[in-house]
Amino acid sequence: MVHHSGSIQSFKQQKGMNVSKSEITKETSLKPSRRSLPCLAQSYAYSKSLSQSTSLFQSTESESQAPTSVTFISSDKAEPVNAEEDKKDSVLKCSFADLSDFCLALGKDKDYMDESEHANYDRSRLIKDSVPKDNSESKAKLSKNDMNYIASSGLLFKDGKKRIDYILVYRKSNIQYDKRNTFEKNLRAEGLMLEKEPAVANPDIMFIKIHIPWDTLCKYAERLNIRMPFRKKCYYTDRRNKSMGSVQNYFRRIKKWMSQNPMVLDKSAFPNLQESDCYTGPFSRARIHHFIINNKDTFFSNATRSRIVYHMLQHTKYENGISKVGICKLINNGSYIAAFPPHEGAYKSNQPIKTHGPQNNRHLLYERWARWGMWYKHQPLDLIRLYFGEKIGLYFAWLGWYTGMLIPAALVGLCVFFYGIFTMNGSQVSQEICKATEVFMCPLCDKNCSLQRLNESCIYAKVTYLFDNGGTVFFAIFMAIWATVFLEFWKRRRSTLTYTWDLIEWEEEEETLRPQFEAKYYKMERVNPISGKPEPHQPSSDKITRLLVSISGIFFMISFVITAVFAVVVYRLVVMEQFASFKWNFIKQHWQFATSAAAVCINFVIIMALNLAYEKIAYLLTNLEYPRTESEWENSFALKMFLFQFVNLNSSIFYIAFFLGRFVGHPGNYNKLFNRWRLEECHPSGCLIDLCLQMGVIMFLKQIWNNFMELGYPLIQNWWSRHKIKRGIQDASIPQWENDWNLQPMNIHGLMDEYLEMVLQFGFTTIFVAAFPLAPLLALLNNIIEIRLDAYKFVTQWRRPLPARATDIGIWYGILEGIGILAVITNAFVIAITSDYIPRFVYEYKYGPCASRFEYGENCLKGYVNNSLSFFDLSELGMGKSGYCRYRDYRGPPWSSKPYEFTLQYWHILAARLAFIIVFEHLVFGIKSFIAYLIPDVPKNLYDRIRREKYLVQEMMYEAELEHLQQQRRKSGHPVHHEWP
């Protein structure tokens, strides 16, 4: 984007890069560049009034004393454009709307009005139901309706003119009034206007309403490089081949069908978000005539006004001292108890939205997005972004994209599961286990366990086959490819959103330092290589020291998690003897299942308990590092929380998948923990059933718990708050800001909990999907609920969060890529080690009936179960029994020359497992890399459009400045030149 200098000469230099000076001098009259002619046509429509815009900062009338004068400018006065030149260009002409409601007399605001803390509340400003106008009315009336919404919601000062942009809350009984007074005086000195008002329901609560005047808005918008619209966009078309006509007709038919899709939202019900159709540039008061200012009250959106006020609150001192700065510290020390931007009004209306329209944007979001009845509809992402900001808008865009991509994964997983159901009765392994009535398995515990017939494991064998069948390998490869496609196409979707929402260059221009970082390192400055300005700098030695301390804390907490998992393992070893001799016959018969189920529940309780401690520790470690910017703080905190919770959630699953039953020894020589407890063995049908149980229970219970904590807990708290208000005051109407105060605040860590929940779910869906193919289906069903649950929570149960900006989902994308890589490795190990796929494969082609000869119709797995079980002499156990029992292993029989030693088949299987892991990983990683290479991060047409618009902005800024200079010369009577003086 073009950088705007303070002199006219800079524009001349910029123009010189594209059009030579000789070309300018040849023109006989002032004309824009032919390349930018259609897009510059709009500038002529209001060129006569450009000079008048300088009065925006020279008006002496107060806002509260005189109404804003409005001048309507008709596009009929526009100078004609040469038709012959227009025909020479292969462009589509733009239809520009008239510029109306252009503000010409914008006064300065009054100083701070110090209201009495016992002021009487004006009930005329309470919430009222309003009926909006039709969407077909003009833009001037729409802008007035926006102000009517604000007025009807009571979101104005007592004079009925100044809108409320932010709310501060404190208790009058709090003794830290000196800090508050200093802070409020400094806010007034910065240009904010404040008005105090006591709460209706609680006389101890005091609200401070904050309004930011026009002058202050413009000053900080320029300081923060906030981009504002200055021209309508023009969409150019090139001459295309006639063969493209059929393709265009095809896509036109698809678009027409999509408009009839019941999942698509009715766009006529949503406001016309016109700022996405304008070129934008960093706001400048010196060049305010460049920008489209229809109405000064609506030029800066509510989100932008809130962000500017919050920036001022964060950088205002409340005491002498460099570190005594920011509203966050005042909230932490109790001077204030809350700070938030107000909602735009009630989210419900007595009038139906279909006949009377939306009351405000919050009401529209509730009716068209947050209601449970809209679960099948697409999300109104532009309106979400307008109301909650780009950061929350990107979260819901990512969540919707993730949910949509889960549909094919869930369908394929369901097909694999149903394939297991339909072929279960024909499985050779299941049939042999169910018919093995004379095969006795060795005792699985030392004291209370007896011999068990193999056919007693018939049900477990059939259930295991549902998750361990011929489709397992295919589904694992499919999910690895799916994860890559999901992430690559999300990057394309994100690039489109960042372009539409004007976030392409935001991060470099606008991200500021954290006040805590500035206060800590204000004595150590270094020139920023980008801006060329001095700024606080953290020395490398200090940064490395703090980072090492933080890493040490992370490893300590991870080791603590492993210790908790070890405690659960010990519990399993202790209670399995008790369940084997339990008095209830059902538990006695299924003691292994009872042991696993009880361990899973206890493990889940431990997981939830440790999560509470991890959050506080991660918060302390992140603050100890003193991150430079807010995004660095969020990324560091998110990474710690992910590492803690990922290890906490998956450590027990890794134990079951790769360690359970692997080092138990053999009958007569079992390995024991602390020489006391015999290590746990897998079920006769394998360990996969334990892994499925662990994943299913944790995934299901965690989703229920998360949904309750996200919605159920705030609902209960908000209900109790309303109950106390109704009990304490009778028939009293509550203003909007007090209703917002009674809602629950958004989590102090922002969207971290929402992202963390979904990323952990993504790990469940991909990492062990070979053992649980129903995981994508459960994730899909949960996410359909999650989208509407989060929407309902944001719109109805939470105070309005700060509309923050962001260009992507932050560090979470890197974490998702890491999970995708880990998923390939773990699925390879699950298939090779946990499942019986490799032993069956080796038997089928090396030791089975098909090894030497193959006959059509012969089952190559015949005799596999008998081959996979080893013999043990019962007389060696000292139980007074003779004969042989069987156990799962590949060891020599007691009558062999080397009894109980590993057989050659064991080493063949081990080699096949290692070979499968290597081949599987290289194959899948190769496919993933090839797919990532084929899919560009930015669509080609979008890339060309961005480059084209950068060029057009440079052209238009020059032409607009030149036209403004010509008008100034005409007004002052100087001769008009057609080039820069």
Side-chain angles (χ1 to χ4, degrees):
M1 190 60 64
V2 180
H3 297 280
H4 310 296
S5 62
S7 65
I8 299 177
Q9 184 65 24
S10 63
F11 280 89
K12 179 178 178 181
Q13 294 172 355
Q14 293 174 5
K15 180 64 180 177
M17 294 185 293
N18 299 290
V19 181
S20 64
K21 185 176 180 179
S22 60
E23 291 176 337
I24 300 176
T25 57
K26 290 178 183 179
E27 295 178 352
T28 58
S29 61
L30 180 61
K31 296 179 181 179
S33 171
R34 290 179 57 191
R35 290 165 292 184
S36 60
L37 180 63
C39 286
L40 291 176
Q42 185 191 15
S43 64
Y44 291 98
Y46 61 99
S47 60
K48 302 294 183 182
S49 63
L50 287 178
S51 60
Q52 298 177 4
S53 62
T54 56
S55 63
L56 293 172
F57 300 97
Q58 299 173 0
S59 175
T60 57
E61 294 182 357
S62 174
E63 286 182 357
S64 60
Q65 293 176 355
T68 302
S69 61
V70 180
T71 302
F72 292 90
I73 305 169
S74 175
S75 60
D76 296 332
K77 297 180 181 180
E79 296 182 23
V81 180
N82 194 327
E84 295 181 359
E85 284 192 316
D86 189 37
K87 291 180 181 180
K88 295 179 183 179
D89 296 319
S90 58
V91 299
L92 292 178
K93 291 199 173 183
C94 299
S95 59
F96 301 114
D98 295 345
L99 293 175
S100 60
D101 292 349
F102 190 86
C103 187
L104 301 179
L106 307 176
K108 297 181 180 179
D109 295 286
K110 285 185 178 180
D111 291 334
Y112 168 76
M113 295 179 295
D114 192 7
E115 301 289 341
S116 171
E117 293 188 348
H118 301 283
N120 295 324
Y121 180 69
D122 183 5
R123 299 188 180 276
S124 64
R125 292 179 291 109
L126 298 178
I127 300 174
K128 300 176 182 178
D129 293 334
S130 64
V131 180
K133 305 292 183 183
D134 280 336
N135 293 330
S136 60
E137 294 196 31
S138 64
K139 280 193 262 183
K141 294 183 179 180
L142 283 174
S143 62
K144 294 177 182 178
N145 286 340
D146 293 339
M147 296 306 298
N148 290 337
Y149 287 147
I150 298 173
S152 64
S153 300
L155 296 176
L156 297 174
F157 275 28
K158 289 186 176 181
D159 61 2
K161 297 179 181 179
K162 298 179 182 64
R163 67 195 300 175
I164 300 174
D165 297 308
Y166 225 85
I167 297 292
L168 301 181
V169 188
Y170 70 91
R171 297 186 184 276
K172 290 188 288 186
S173 57
N174 186 279
I175 61 175
Q176 301 189 32
Y177 51 84
D178 290 336
K179 294 180 180 178
R180 287 197 302 270
N181 289 340
T182 303
F183 184 70
E184 292 165 14
K185 289 180 180 178
N186 291 335
L187 289 178
R188 296 195 300 273
E190 288 293 327
L192 294 179
M193 302 185 68
L194 283 71
E195 184 178 77
K196 293 184 179 181
E197 188 156 329
V200 175
N202 187 349
D204 188 43
I205 299 296
M206 180 64 70
F207 296 99
I208 298 180
K209 298 173 286 186
I210 299 178
H211 168 74
I212 179 167
W214 172 258
D215 291 350
T216 309
L217 264 175
C218 294
K219 179 177 69 175
Y220 276 90
E222 182 177 13
R223 183 178 299 179
L224 298 177
N225 287 327
I226 293 178
R227 309 182 68 84
M228 300 304 294
F230 65 87
R231 289 293 185 278
K232 294 283 289 183
K233 285 184 180 179
C234 286
Y235 298 98
Y236 282 72
T237 59
D238 300 326
R239 291 189 177 93
R240 300 179 181 273
N241 196 322
K242 294 182 179 180
S243 61
M244 293 296 294
S246 59
V247 178
Q248 292 176 350
N249 292 333
Y250 175 74
F251 282 108
R252 192 178 295 112
R253 288 196 299 268
I254 294 178
K255 186 176 181 181
K256 183 178 180 181
W257 174 82
M258 287 296 294
S259 63
Q260 301 172 357
N261 188 349
M263 298 177 64
V264 177
L265 289 165
D266 182 11
K267 293 185 179 180
S268 63
F270 292 91
N272 185 17
L273 306 180
Q274 299 174 5
E275 63 270 13
S276 62
D277 293 330
C278 295
Y279 296 113
T280 60
F283 183 79
S284 171
R285 289 177 290 176
R287 297 182 177 86
I288 194 172
H289 50 274
H290 289 173
F291 299 92
I292 304 175
I293 307 178
N294 297 331
N295 189 323
K296 76 179 184 65
D297 293 319
T298 57
F299 177 62
F300 293 101
S301 65
N302 289 343
T304 303
R305 298 172 70 98
S306 298
R307 281 196 298 270
I308 293 176
V309 173
Y310 180 76
H311 174 83
M312 299 175 69
L313 293 175
Q314 279 288 77
H315 292 80
T316 300
K317 289 185 178 182
Y318 58 87
E319 276 185 352
N320 293 328
I322 190 67
S323 62
K324 308 297 184 180
V325 58
I327 185 64
C328 291
K329 289 190 175 182
L330 286 172
I331 293 177
N332 291 335
N333 63 31
S335 299
Y336 294 95
I337 54 180
F340 55 89
H343 278 294
E344 292 185 3
Y347 66 88
K348 285 187 178 181
S349 174
N350 296 328
Q351 306 293 338
I353 192 173
K354 290 184 178 181
T355 57
H356 292 73
Q359 187 177 11
N360 48 59
N361 285 336
R362 187 188 185 194
H363 179 214
L364 182 59
L365 282 171
Y366 174 76
E367 293 290 341
R368 293 291 184 260
W369 178 50
R371 288 194 304 111
W372 297 104
M374 308 298 291
W375 66 270
Y376 62 95
K377 291 283 189 180
H378 293 170
Q379 300 184 87
L381 294 178
D382 289 335
L383 187 59
I384 297 171
R385 170 246 182 175
L386 178 67
Y387 193 81
F388 292 109
E390 287 81 0
K391 192 172 186 178
I392 294 176
L394 275 175
Y395 163 72
F396 280 104
W398 176 83
L399 181 57
W401 184 260
Y402 171 44
T403 303
M405 290 293 292
L406 278 173
I407 295 176
L411 291 177
V412 176
L414 201 60
C415 291
V416 172
F417 183 75
F418 277 115
Y419 170 80
I421 292 178
F422 293 142
T423 60
M424 180 172 55
N425 293 328
S427 171
Q428 180 66 27
V429 177
S430 300
Q431 289 179 3
E432 291 184 2
I433 291 177
C434 294
K435 294 178 180 179
T437 57
E438 300 301 326
V439 178
F440 292 90
M441 302 298 294
C442 296
L444 296 178
C445 59
D446 291 334
K447 297 181 180 178
N448 301 317
C449 297
S450 59
L451 298 177
Q452 180 182 359
R453 295 181 185 272
L454 181 58
N455 66 332
E456 294 179 6
S457 303
C458 179
I459 297 178
Y460 294 99
K462 291 183 177 180
V463 173
T464 301
Y465 180 78
L466 297 178
F467 305 100
D468 185 13
N469 53 60
T472 302
V473 177
F474 162 75
F475 189 54
I477 297 176
F478 172 82
M479 287 302 296
I481 298 174
W482 171 88
T484 301
V485 172
F486 159 64
L487 293 176
E488 292 300 321
F489 274 97
W490 162 248
K491 287 193 289 187
R492 292 170 63 88
R493 174 64 172 158
R494 185 202 69 85
S495 64
T496 303
L497 287 175
T498 53
Y499 166 77
T500 305
W501 293 349
D502 195 31
L503 298 171
I504 296 296
E505 298 180 359
W506 168 79
E507 186 174 2
E508 297 179 1
E509 297 175 356
E510 297 188 28
E511 192 166 16
T512 57
L513 300 179
R514 297 180 71 236
Q516 295 85 345
F517 181 87
E518 291 182 299
K520 178 69 175 178
Y521 298 105
Y522 72 96
K523 293 182 179 179
M524 294 165 280
E525 289 189 344
R526 188 182 68 174
V527 176
N528 189 310
I530 305 300
S531 64
K533 299 178 181 179
E535 66 178 20
H537 170 66
Q538 184 180 17
S540 300
S541 58
D542 181 77
K543 186 174 184 177
I544 293 174
T545 302
R546 293 179 180 276
L547 192 61
L548 290 176
V549 173
S550 179
I551 293 175
S552 301
I554 293 174
F555 277 106
F556 173 77
M557 293 307 301
I558 291 177
S559 63
F560 188 77
V561 173
I562 297 175
T563 303
V565 173
F566 181 77
V568 175
V569 172
V570 174
Y571 164 80
R572 294 172 67 111
L573 301 180
V574 173
V575 301
M576 69 178 184
E577 295 277 357
Q578 307 300 324
F579 282 139
S581 59
F582 210 74
K583 61 180 180 178
W584 290 355
N585 191 39
F586 176 80
I587 294 181
K588 186 176 182 179
Q589 290 180 354
H590 306 280
W591 61 270
Q592 280 188 299
F593 177 81
T595 301
S596 299
V600 169
C601 295
I602 292 175
N603 187 45
F604 177 76
V605 174
I606 294 175
I607 289 172
M608 294 295 104
L610 290 179
N611 283 345
L612 299 176
Y614 293 156
E615 184 175 344
K616 299 182 182 299
I617 294 174
Y619 188 79
L620 293 175
L621 291 177
T622 305
N623 285 335
L624 180 65
E625 296 174 6
Y626 280 98
R628 179 175 174 272
T629 62
E630 199 65 32
S631 62
E632 290 181 7
W633 188 97
E634 292 178 359
N635 290 341
S636 178
F637 181 75
L639 180 60
K640 293 179 181 62
M641 286 298 297
F642 170 75
L643 290 175
F644 289 158
Q645 295 209 19
F646 180 81
V647 175
N648 189 26
L649 197 63
N650 293 281
S651 53
S652 60
I653 299 177
F654 273 90
Y655 163 75
I656 293 175
F658 304 125
F659 297 99
L660 179 63
R662 307 295 168 193
F663 311 101
V664 296
H666 61 85
N669 188 24
Y670 283 112
N671 298 322
K672 294 186 177 182
L673 183 65
F674 303 133
N675 294 323
R676 181 177 180 181
W677 295 298
R678 172 180 161 182
L679 295 181
E680 188 178 2
E681 292 185 65
C682 292
H683 198 272
S685 60
C687 294
L688 200 63
I689 188 66
D690 294 308
L691 181 59
C692 294
L693 177 65
Q694 183 84 6
M695 289 186 62
V697 171
I698 290 182
M699 191 173 185
F700 180 74
L701 292 180
K702 193 172 188 303
Q703 288 178 352
I704 292 179
W705 175 259
N706 288 338
N707 291 340
F708 170 76
M709 293 302 296
E710 287 184 9
L711 182 61
Y713 185 65
L715 276 173
I716 294 174
Q717 287 187 314
N718 291 336
W719 172 83
W720 180 246
S721 298
R722 292 192 300 268
H723 176 71
K724 290 192 298 184
I725 292 174
K726 291 179 181 179
R727 185 176 57 184
I729 187 168
Q730 299 293 331
D731 298 327
S733 299
I734 307 298
Q736 180 61 47
W737 55 85
E738 190 164 348
N739 283 326
D740 292 348
W741 155 247
N742 292 324
L743 297 176
Q744 296 302 307
M746 185 179 178
N747 191 298
I748 190 175
H749 309 308
L751 292 169
M752 194 278 302
D753 288 341
E754 277 69 24
Y755 275 118
L756 181 61
E757 178 186 354
M758 290 295 102
V759 169
L760 292 174
Q761 184 203 83
F762 180 80
F764 261 92
T765 306
T766 55
I767 291 179
F768 292 100
V769 73
F772 194 55
L774 292 180
L777 179 62
L778 293 180
L780 174 63
L781 297 177
N782 175 79
N783 287 7
I784 292 175
I785 299 174
E786 182 75 21
I787 290 176
R788 304 304 159 179
L789 186 148
D790 284 346
Y792 184 83
K793 176 179 62 179
F794 272 94
V795 174
T796 68
Q797 301 302 310
W798 277 1
R799 298 173 194 162
R800 187 177 184 179
L802 177 71
R805 307 199 81 185
T807 57
D808 52 29
I809 61 176
I811 198 174
W812 298 110
Y813 183 83
I815 293 175
L816 290 172
E817 284 190 323
I819 290 176
I821 296 173
L822 181 62
V824 177
I825 300 173
T826 53
N827 281 306
F829 276 87
V830 167
I831 295 172
I833 296 177
T834 309
S835 73
D836 289 336
Y837 176 79
I838 298 300
R840 290 198 302 264
F841 182 83
V842 172
Y843 176 82
E844 187 173 0
Y845 293 100
K846 180 66 177 177
Y847 297 95
C850 300
S852 57
R853 57 183 176 83
F854 175 76
E855 294 183 3
Y856 181 78
E858 185 173 5
N859 196 324
C860 296
L861 286 177
K862 186 177 181 180
Y864 166 75
V865 174
N866 183 65
N867 177 266
S868 64
L869 299 177
S870 300
F871 289 88
F872 180 76
D873 190 354
L874 285 174
S875 60
E876 299 182 21
L877 290 178
M879 300 174 58
K881 295 182 180 181
S882 60
Y884 298 99
C885 67
R886 311 294 293 272
Y887 62 97
R888 284 174 53 90
D889 212 340
Y890 293 92
R891 295 178 181 270
W895 58 82
S896 65
S897 59
K898 295 181 179 180
Y900 309 127
E901 295 291 332
F902 289 120
T903 62
L904 182 62
Q905 186 177 355
Y906 170 83
W907 299 109
H908 286 166
I909 292 174
L910 180 61
R913 282 172 168 166
L914 296 177
F916 175 83
I917 292 172
I918 295 173
V919 172
F920 182 89
E921 289 180 355
H922 282 71
L923 175 64
V924 175
F925 280 135
I927 296 174
K928 285 169 64 71
S929 301
F930 181 68
I931 292 176
Y933 172 78
L934 289 180
I935 304 174
D937 294 347
V938 181
K940 180 64 168 59
N941 60 342
L942 178 60
Y943 177 75
D944 293 339
R945 190 186 304 172
I946 293 174
R947 295 182 62 191
R948 175 66 174 169
E949 290 189 4
K950 286 184 177 181
Y951 171 75
L952 288 177
V953 167
Q954 181 175 340
E955 292 280 312
M956 287 185 290
M957 293 298 290
Y958 164 74
E959 299 288 356
E961 190 69 20
L962 181 59
E963 174 66 18
H964 179 60
L965 181 60
Q966 300 283 13
Q967 292 182 11
Q968 293 291 336
R969 286 182 172 275
R970 292 191 187 101
K971 185 177 179 180
S972 59
H974 291 85
V976 177
H977 299 283
H978 303 300
E979 60 178 296
W980 292 102

